[in-house]
Amino acid sequence: MSENRIAIISIIVEKREASAQINGILSAHGDYVVGRMGIPYRQKDVSVICIVVDAPTEIINQITGKIGMLDGVSAKTVTSKK
């Protein structure tokens, strides 16, 4: 595996039913999670979640890919250059 990088995974949840699956994916990769912030935006009926991870690029991509494939969920990542 490659060297660890710091990344922020931004998630927008439009279907609340996906929450359990998101939590399962994050729990499975919990050793890499540095912090998490979730904001329910009730006026728009969505939730916004930001996850800070310190992980190899392959793991970051795996987490983002799995979450982004869920129905009603969008995920994007910003990764440090170091």
Side-chain angles (χ1 to χ4, degrees), residues 18-81:
S19 297
Q21 292 170 291
I22 293 168
N23 287 330
I25 294 166
L26 295 175
S27 291
H29 296 90
D31 291 344
Y32 300 105
V33 175
V34 175
R36 172 182 176 159
M37 177 180 65
I39 302 168
Y41 190 6
R42 290 180 183 88
Q43 293 90 333
K44 299 289 183 176
D45 197 29
V46 299
S47 293
V48 179
I49 305 168
C50 296
I51 310 294
V52 177
V53 296
D54 185 353
T57 303
E58 295 84 5
I59 298 294
I60 296 167
N61 292 339
Q62 186 179 60
I63 296 168
T64 304
K66 285 181 179 182
I67 291 173
M69 289 187 342
L70 297 174
D71 187 39
V73 179
S74 302
K76 297 290 180 186
T77 302
V78 175
T79 307
S80 68
K81 294 182 181 183

